[in-house]
Each structure stands twice: as C-alpha cells, then as structure tokens.
Amino acid sequence: MRRFFRISIAAIIWGLLSFSGLAAQQPWQAEWIGLSQSVKPNSWLCYRTHIHVEKIPQNAVASIACDSKYWLWINGQMAVFEGQLKRGPSPENTYYDEVDLTKYLKAGDNTIAVLVWYWGKHGFSHNNSGRAGLVFDLTVDGKRFASGSDWKIRLHPAYGQTEPPHPNYRLPEGNVQFDARQDLGEWQGTDYDDSAWSKAALFGKPPVAPWNVLEKRPLLQWKNSGLVEYVNVKEQAGKDGQRLFVGTLPYNAQVTPYLKVKAPAGKSIEIKTDDYVVSGVPGVRAVYITKEGVQEYESLGWMNGHDVRYSVPEGVEVLALKYRETGYNAEFAGSFNCDDKALNTLWEKARRTLYITMRDTYMDCPDRERAQWIGDAVNEIGEAFYVFDAVYGPQLARKCIQELVRWQRKDNVFYSPSPAGIPIPGGPSEDGSWDKELPMQSLACAGWYGIWTYYWYTGDKQTIADIYPQVKDYLNLWKFDNNGLVIHRGGEWDWVDWGTNIDVAVIENAWFYLAMKAAIEMAQLTDHDPDVTEYQKKMEWIASHYNKTFWQGDCYRTPGYQGKTDDRAQAMAVVAGLAESGYYPAIQKVLKTEYHASPYMEKYVLEALCLMNAPELALERMKLRYDKQIASELSTLWEGWETEGGSYNHGWSGGPLTILSQHMAGISPLKAGFAEVSIMPQMGNLREITSVASLPQGHIDLKLQQSENRFQINLKTPVRAMVCIPKCGKVISIVNVNDTAVYKDKKNMVGESGKIEFAGEDEHWICFAVETGEWKISADIIQ
C-alpha cells in the first residue's frame, strides 16, 4: 500500500498551537472579492495578482477563505491543493485557512493565482452562502498584502455543467466538466497576460455578509500523495463503442483522477468510480472534452471507490492514467494484530472505513451523502483514538462536537447532519437543507459515548466547558412519565436503528441514563455542581423503574411490544449499567440467538458481551455477523449486512475496531487524557495480541500471550498504568514482574520499589499499578 508524506515537526507544533486556541487571527485588512455579476452554481473562478517582496521571506502566512473550495499557486507552483472547509462552523459563519507560504515566495516579483470552485447549493455537509467570493490576507515579514481591486478575476471558460444525471440533492458538490478547447493555458504562471481580465469587485472586509465571521480551520490541509500509478489498468469493451479503462486502486480511497491522451478535438471522456451509484442515486462524476493533440488533465473534484473508470471514445489514444489520493491529515499511529487472520482483516477494514469517511467532517459515507450524521460520528470518534496520532486524530471529533452544539436550534434541539443548508419555510424539501432531530442519535453524542468519550480520551476540559450549557439545555427537553421512565421523544425523524424488531422504550431509557451519567461528569468537571442533584434524581428514577418494567425474567421487553426479542435492547441495558449481573446468563443466551441490530448498533451488542466478561461470545458473534464482509474483496465495511441497498463504506460499521483494541487488547484511559492508562485484556480464545495506541504522552506498545498454563504481558508505557491479569475462571499461582515474584499463592509480595504496587484482586482480575517504562508481567495458571 502507498503511504502519504509524513507530518513535519513544524506542522505538529503549529497544530498544537491551533488546537489549543493559542493562534489568533489579526483584524482582516483584505476585502472579499469576486465578480460584479451573479455567478451560477457549479462555477469556477480564476483570480490573479502580483506582489513584490524585497528579500527572501523569513515568515509568510496567508489567511484565505472562499465559498466553496480553492486551489492556490505561487509563481506557477501548487501551494494548496483543495483548500477551505465546507461551510460552516455555525449557521452564520465560515471557516478560513491559515497557510504558511514562506517556501513558495522569492525575492522580487511574485504571482499569486487562485482557482475557486463555487458550488452554489446546499448539501448535507455544507451551508451555501449564496455568493461566490475570495478573501486573501497575506503577511510577509510584517508587511500585509491584501486582496482588493488590484486583483484580476474571470470565470474559467473550460468548466461547465455536465448533462444529467447530476449528483443527488444531499451532495453540495456538482459534477466536473472541463472542455479543454476553452482552456486558459498556463494562467497560474508568472508570464500569463491577464490584462483582459476584469478588476475584482469589492464586497467588504470580514466580517461581512453573507460569509460573516471567519473562524480558523481546526484541521491540517489534506494529505496529498501526488500523482501515482494505479495498481493496474485494464482495458475492456464499454457501451456504445467506447473503450473502458479501469484503474485499480490499492484500496477504497478519496482520489482525483488524471489522464494523458492524444486526441482530436471534441471527444468526450467520462470518469467515475465503481462507487458512483449508491442506493439507486448518483454521486459525483467528471467529463473531459479533448482539444487537439497531446494533453494532460486532472479532475479536481474528489471521488472515491476501489477503481476509477474512464470511458474513452474511438480516436483517442490513452498515454497515461494516474490518480492523486488526498485525505484527512493524521498519522496512522495505532495498530492491532492477533493470531486470528479474520479478526485482523476486520480491524484493517474498519480502519480503512473510518478513514474513507473522514474529511471536512465525519461522514456516514463518502459517496451518497458525505453527511455528518451524529450517530455515525459517535462510533467513528471512538475508533479514531485507536487509529490515529493523539495530536491530529482528535481534531475532527472536536470539530464535530462543536458543530453539533453550535447548530443547536432555537428550541434547544440538537440535530444532524450539521453543517447543512438552513431550510426555508415553504421551500423545497430536497435542496440539501436539513434541521430535523433524530433524538436517539443526539442522545448518543450528548452522552457517554460521544462528548464524554472525547473528553476522557483527550482531557480537553475547555471544550466541555464551552459546550456544557447547550448540552444541559438539550437534555432538559426530555421529560418523564408518572412511572419514572422517559416519555418517548420522536423528534422529526423517529429513528433508533435500521432493521426490524426494535424495542424502543428499553433502548431509549438506556440512552438517556447514559446521557445523565455523562452530564454528571460534565457538570462536576465544569463547576456546575448544583446541576448534579437533578441528574442524579433522573438516574435514580430510571434505575428504580427500569428493571421492574422491562425485565421479564429471561430478557428485556417492553410490555405490549410485539416483535422478536431485541438484541439491541439487551445490549443497551448492559452498557448503561442497568442490567443486574444476575441477568447476564439470560442476556447472553438471547445474544446467541437474536440478530436484529444493524452494524451501527452491533457495536453496543459486542461491547455488552465484553462488559459481561464474555469475550469468547463477543468474538464468536463478531465473526459470525461480519463473516461476509471479512471474506469480501472490498477493503471497507458496509452500511448493512449485505451490499445491496446501501453504501459499501459506511462510517457506523467499524465498531469491531474499538472492541478489539479497547476490550480484547484492553487499552483504555484510566484518567482523562490518558494521564494514566488501564490494561485489562479480554483475549477470549485468542492466543496472541500485539497492539499500539497513540497517547498524548507517547505510544503504548503491548504484546499479550496466553496458553493453557501461562498468561504474559509485555508492555511499554509512557504513563502510569493499571495492569490487570484476567483469571478467566482459573487459579493464578504466581505472578512475576520483570522476573521477580510479586504475587504467590493468593498473597501480595510486592516490595517497596515504588515503581510497582499491588492494586487489588477480585473474582475476575489481579491488578498491579506500574510506572512508566518497560514491563514483562507473567502469570502461571493452575487448571
């Protein structure tokens, strides 16, 4: 597999400053600029200017914003490939980029060229401003160069609209059509004559409508592989006399396709991927219309799939086909490997699925919608901590949570996807706008598995302090009936999970209980202690009535519910901590026979089995449920249990990654931000696990081995760790730490070294606390 460039030390330092909010934007001197006339949707605009720099700069930083995306060249050299995040950080505002241009500028005259793609429509990830524009504010060694009337502008005449079909309404992006006969040539270079171009019209300095306040991009610019060769390219017969060239990608990737051909003028080449049509609706595609002779072209709108398909007419000679992979910029720092190849494959497919559903936002899928549905995002947030570096991996989670909160409706409802277009009363229903509540998904994020998981893994107290008042307002919308249980809240989309046999009340009360559990923690963390009593009271109401109402002696069922016993309901009772341990055998029996959860909720079923200390059953069910996806040639996981009717790369489907890393390998924070780490492995019937996780303080390196008579942990930790040895129903006769006995015949033998402490023992575990360093811990087992 190909690797992207690695992140530089300078970028890491800058990212830390940005992430902590230490880097601040100076007042804008630049004007928003554009064409004086209105611009049609899906238009491309060219901007140019010249600046003079007295000497080779030591520091040159530009603040740049547009609607919707831009590409930047300095002296003909590409400096930014697809800049600008989808709009917006709130319903009113717009993101801006901060870009270091020091290495691109030279002493003397410099040419700045910017290509802006204006979508001009809403989508389930983008709030259209309604006006094409660019603002560019550059500071070079203290001297400002700001966009204004000295800039030149024109529409790029080669870009136009394709014939139908167009992308479905959920996508703000349009198809990309480029007619090379109308190309402007090397307009990005220093010698291009732009004298016939228009002077830029001035729209005002930020903050100004319709873009309003500009907020700094919280993410790095995308990773960029450069143009690379396909794994292979095969030619086959296409439709209507066309030849189909299929370029195989190494995995499901976000790519911009490239071609080099020799052709007469006017030939049309269509480019799309195998993932173009999903659930019967079209995604994005590209059309290139040739000029005379040898020519090269890269379509700048990204698409995804396992292969790229070029439909080439007769008379066109294909000289080269390549692609550029771009994507979310964080290091793949975490890993998991065990002695079961199927589980390794599943973990890797979950990792690839997570990555393909990350870019401007978390996405449900990168093809049909590209939407930040918050239930999908909750699962993705949990996975990301085990995949990416601890600096940049969490930034998308922080952005996601902030957007959910800042898009809160005036009636205090959290809804998703957000950002999205703002609906107009009486306006069209399929225009990319959305403000409907999915209560169960909103609860999932507002509670334990969303916001609190983000805090627990990062230690980012400030974000919790910023959003807590809005979270409180949302949770206060939920009301109770006279039986001490939650009154069903359907919202505008009464959705719990895909599939059938959904026992709503059991699940809903568990989600709310988890939300109260997280709210108590948030209130205490942010010095809102008076709120704790109310949250505790609501938890007590549910706890005192939940089992009386829903537990039927052999399973959880709502009285009057007519469907089959719901596996999701059993799982949520366990993960919420409402199910009594005496119920576990009956619940496990249900989870061996009932299979109704979609991949979205299956994550919680698997977690419930681990929490009931049944890792063997969790692994058995995991492999059974995902067997087709493990065996598939596809590199990503599906929306449902079959590929038909949904996407084959869905953000909510990667729950097994979290289960394998957090429970089977046993790595999780013991204190917020991994100030201390817990190692509590549940290997089940696995014999060996190696796992790496990125912490803010460094990497956890873990190797686990078990046989019939021995359990061994090799650990390298940058923080204090609680290391627990599983008993698995057996007797542990002796524990050695770095070849010194610390436990023997049920007695603690830890000395006074200060680097290791005996932390306790119960029916399931023997635990020791160890300081930073490398540790070899072994336990002899008596059958």
Side-chain angles (χ1 to χ4, degrees):
M1 292 186 179
R2 305 181 188 277
R3 293 183 178 270
F4 290 156
F5 62 81
R6 296 188 65 82
I7 298 171
S8 68
I9 295 299
I12 290 175
I13 294 171
W14 182 250
L16 287 168
L17 291 172
S18 174
F19 190 48
S20 63
L22 298 178
Q25 163 66 20
Q26 299 299 314
W28 291 82
Q29 292 187 7
E31 295 263 355
W32 277 97
I33 57 175
L35 287 170
S36 57
Q37 69 269 29
S38 62
V39 176
K40 295 179 180 179
N42 199 23
S43 292
W44 297 70
L45 297 88
C46 304
Y47 293 81
R48 280 174 56 90
T49 195
H50 305 277
I51 64 171
H52 184 82
V53 178
E54 292 296 332
K55 59 182 180 179
I56 296 174
Q58 299 300 305
N59 183 55
V61 177
S63 297
I64 309 167
C66 73
D67 187 342
S68 307
K69 293 286 183 177
Y70 73 88
W71 289 255
L72 169 66
W73 293 262
I74 305 294
N75 301 321
Q77 181 181 2
M78 175 73 77
V80 176
F81 188 94
E82 197 205 294
Q84 185 67 37
L85 292 176
K86 292 180 174 182
R87 192 174 180 269
S90 69
E92 300 82 19
N93 297 341
T94 305
Y95 288 109
Y96 76 91
D97 289 357
E98 194 162 82
V99 183
D100 188 345
L101 299 179
T102 307
K103 68 179 181 180
Y104 299 100
L105 294 170
K106 58 185 176 66
D109 294 332
N110 292 267
T111 299
I112 300 172
V114 185
L115 177 64
V116 170
W117 184 14
Y118 172 62
W119 296 335
K121 64 186 288 283
H122 292 318
F124 277 14
S125 54
H126 175 73
N127 182 24
N128 176 36
S129 73
R131 191 170 200 177
L134 170 74
V135 63
F136 190 101
D137 202 330
L138 172 63
T139 301
V140 181
D141 294 333
K143 184 177 180 180
R144 299 289 280 272
F145 298 91
S147 53
S149 58
D150 57 327
W151 282 60
K152 294 292 191 74
I153 183 175
R154 68 158 297 164
L155 283 171
H156 198 306
Y159 285 100
Q161 292 281 7
T162 66
E163 295 295 322
H166 299 295
N168 75 84
Y169 72 92
R170 303 169 186 86
L171 298 173
E173 299 93 335
N175 293 330
V176 179
Q177 178 170 290
F178 190 89
D179 188 341
R181 297 170 297 182
Q182 306 297 321
D183 195 6
L184 294 173
E186 300 297 325
W187 66 272
Q188 307 95 331
T190 57
D191 298 328
Y192 185 83
D193 181 7
D194 58 16
S195 59
W197 290 25
S198 301
K199 273 191 171 184
L202 306 183
F203 301 146
K205 295 181 181 180
V208 63
W211 307 282
N212 303 312
V213 173
L214 299 182
E215 302 186 26
K216 185 178 175 183
R217 174 190 185 120
L219 312 177
L220 293 177
Q221 297 292 328
W222 310 136
K223 283 188 177 183
N224 188 329
S225 69
L227 290 174
V228 293
E229 303 281 349
Y230 290 101
V231 174
N232 58 62
V233 177
K234 295 182 179 179
E235 179 182 351
Q236 55 189 261
K239 296 181 179 179
D240 302 323
Q242 302 261 327
R243 294 168 297 150
L244 185 65
F245 290 80
V246 179
T248 302
L249 297 166
Y251 39 69
N252 191 349
Q254 299 170 2
V255 301
T256 50
Y258 160 93
L259 58 79
K260 182 177 181 180
V261 298
K262 182 178 181 181
K267 296 289 187 177
S268 181
I269 300 172
E270 184 183 52
I271 310 170
K272 54 189 179 184
T273 73
D274 62 302
D275 200 27
Y276 169 60
V277 175
V278 178
S279 304
V281 298
V284 296
R285 61 190 175 95
V287 174
Y288 176 73
I289 301 172
T290 61
K291 60 184 179 181
E292 179 77 27
V294 175
Q295 55 214 275
E296 298 178 70
Y297 171 70
E298 181 180 0
S299 185
L300 297 179
W302 71 270
M303 53 186 71
N304 84 283
H306 286 83
D307 61 59
V308 180
R309 302 175 178 189
Y310 301 76
S311 295
V312 181
E314 291 296 330
V316 176
E317 181 183 356
V318 175
L319 303 177
L321 300 175
K322 298 180 182 180
Y323 70 95
R324 181 192 308 269
E325 181 180 2
T326 57
Y328 185 80
N329 202 345
E331 289 294 321
F332 289 102
S335 63
F336 176 91
N337 193 273
C338 69
D339 57 299
D340 188 319
K341 292 182 179 180
L343 294 176
N344 296 338
T345 297
L346 180 56
W347 196 95
E348 289 296 331
K349 289 190 175 189
R351 181 178 76 159
R352 175 52 43 185
T353 305
L354 172 64
Y355 190 67
I356 200 70
T357 54
M358 297 170 65
R359 200 173 175 100
D360 299 61
T361 64
Y362 282 117
M363 297 178 276
D364 61 334
C365 53
D367 37 38
R368 183 185 64 214
E369 298 177 38
R370 301 182 177 179
Q372 192 164 251
W373 296 103
I374 204 65
D376 301 58
V378 167
N379 284 11
E380 292 168 303
I381 287 169
E383 296 162 38
F385 292 111
Y386 292 103
V387 172
F388 299 109
D389 67 86
V391 176
Y392 295 108
Q395 289 188 357
L396 194 61
R398 179 173 180 259
K399 176 178 179 288
C400 166
I401 291 167
Q402 289 178 328
E403 287 171 345
L404 174 75
V405 169
R406 297 186 65 194
W407 280 78
Q408 187 174 34
R409 291 189 333 210
K410 291 181 179 180
D411 60 0
N412 292 330
V413 162
F414 284 157
Y415 70 91
S416 67
S418 56
I422 300 173
I424 300 173
S429 60
E430 294 189 350
D431 65 345
S433 61
W434 185 272
D435 67 350
K436 297 177 176 61
E437 180 191 8
L438 282 76
M440 300 296 180
Q441 288 203 6
S442 295
L443 267 188
C445 188
W448 195 257
Y449 285 96
I451 292 171
W452 191 250
T453 289
Y454 166 77
Y455 168 72
W456 196 241
Y457 278 75
T458 64
D460 177 12
K461 179 180 177 180
Q462 186 59 53
T463 292
I464 306 304
D466 292 342
I467 67 175
Y468 172 75
Q470 291 84 0
V471 173
K472 176 184 174 181
D473 288 343
Y474 176 68
L475 294 177
N476 281 339
L477 296 177
W478 294 72
K479 307 300 179 185
F480 281 74
D481 62 22
N482 294 330
N483 297 318
L485 295 171
V486 171
I487 296 173
H488 176 59
R489 183 175 178 84
E492 289 82 23
W493 188 0
D494 195 355
W495 189 95
V496 180
D497 187 23
W498 287 136
T500 58
N501 300 299
I502 303 174
D503 197 342
V504 176
V506 181
I507 297 170
E508 186 170 26
N509 279 274
W511 275 129
F512 190 79
Y513 191 83
L514 284 165
M516 290 296 97
K517 182 180 176 183
I520 289 172
E521 298 287 354
M522 285 187 265
Q524 292 174 335
L525 179 71
T526 59
D527 300 321
H528 290 86
D529 295 304
D531 295 341
V532 171
T533 300
E534 183 67 18
Y535 299 144
Q536 288 174 334
K537 181 172 67 175
K538 291 177 179 179
M539 289 185 75
E540 290 167 3
W541 287 345
I542 294 175
S544 62
H545 294 89
Y546 191 86
N547 290 333
K548 291 179 185 178
T549 303
F550 299 129
W551 181 249
Q552 306 304 325
D554 58 353
C555 66
Y556 281 97
R557 288 179 69 93
T558 301
Y561 167 69
Q562 299 298 313
K564 295 181 180 179
T565 299
D566 185 4
D567 51 347
R568 313 169 190 85
Q570 318 308 306
M572 291 305 299
V574 173
V575 299
L578 289 162
E580 297 179 11
S581 60
Y583 302 168
Y584 287 179
I587 293 173
Q588 292 175 28
K589 185 176 179 180
V590 172
L591 298 183
K592 290 179 182 179
T593 57
E594 300 292 344
Y595 302 97
H596 309 298
S598 79
Y600 166 56
M601 289 296 292
E602 184 67 19
K603 184 261 183 182
Y604 302 99
V605 177
L606 298 173
E607 180 149 7
L609 287 167
C610 292
L611 293 174
M612 292 187 288
N613 204 34
E616 294 88 354
L617 292 180
L619 293 172
E620 180 183 340
R621 178 168 171 130
M622 185 186 296
K623 291 173 70 173
L624 177 66
R625 293 290 261 160
Y626 282 88
D627 61 342
K628 290 183 180 180
Q629 302 196 48
I630 293 169
S632 169
E633 294 182 355
L634 298 172
S635 66
T636 44
L637 302 175
W638 318 336
E639 183 173 5
W641 299 114
E642 304 290 341
T643 53
E644 293 79 10
S647 78
Y648 69 36
N649 35 216
H650 216 75
W652 70 22
S653 298
L657 185 153
T658 305
I659 302 304
L660 290 169
S661 294
Q662 181 180 356
H663 292 285
M664 276 67 204
I667 303 172
S668 63
L670 187 62
K671 292 185 178 180
F674 277 106
E676 293 185 14
V677 66
S678 171
I679 307 295
M680 297 184 72
Q682 294 179 284
M683 294 181 69
N685 53 12
L686 297 175
R687 293 302 181 189
E688 185 171 309
I689 293 175
T690 56
S691 187
V692 175
S694 178
L695 280 55
Q697 305 87 346
H699 284 77
I700 285 280
D701 289 277
L702 178 67
K703 183 174 183 179
L704 306 169
Q705 294 172 293
Q706 72 171 348
S707 62
E708 291 183 359
N709 55 17
R710 193 173 184 81
F711 192 97
Q712 182 164 312
I713 301 173
N714 289 82
L715 172 68
K716 183 178 180 181
T717 175
V719 296
R720 181 178 169 90
M722 179 73 71
V723 184
C724 296
I725 301 166
K727 292 183 176 180
C728 301
K730 300 175 183 178
V731 175
I732 295 177
S733 61
I734 186 170
V735 177
N736 290 298
V737 175
N738 292 349
D739 298 321
T740 299
V742 296
Y743 176 95
K744 186 175 182 181
D745 298 330
K746 300 184 180 182
K747 293 182 181 180
N748 167 31
M749 298 177 62
V750 175
E752 300 295 330
S753 70
K755 292 187 176 181
I756 180 170
E757 299 173 11
F758 180 71
E761 178 180 3
D762 63 19
E763 61 178 313
H764 299 298
W765 308 93
I766 299 175
C767 299
F768 300 87
V770 300
E771 298 299 325
T772 60
E774 297 187 32
W775 300 92
K776 176 184 174 183
I777 303 172
S778 61
D780 290 346
I781 300 168
I782 299 174
Q783 298 299 318

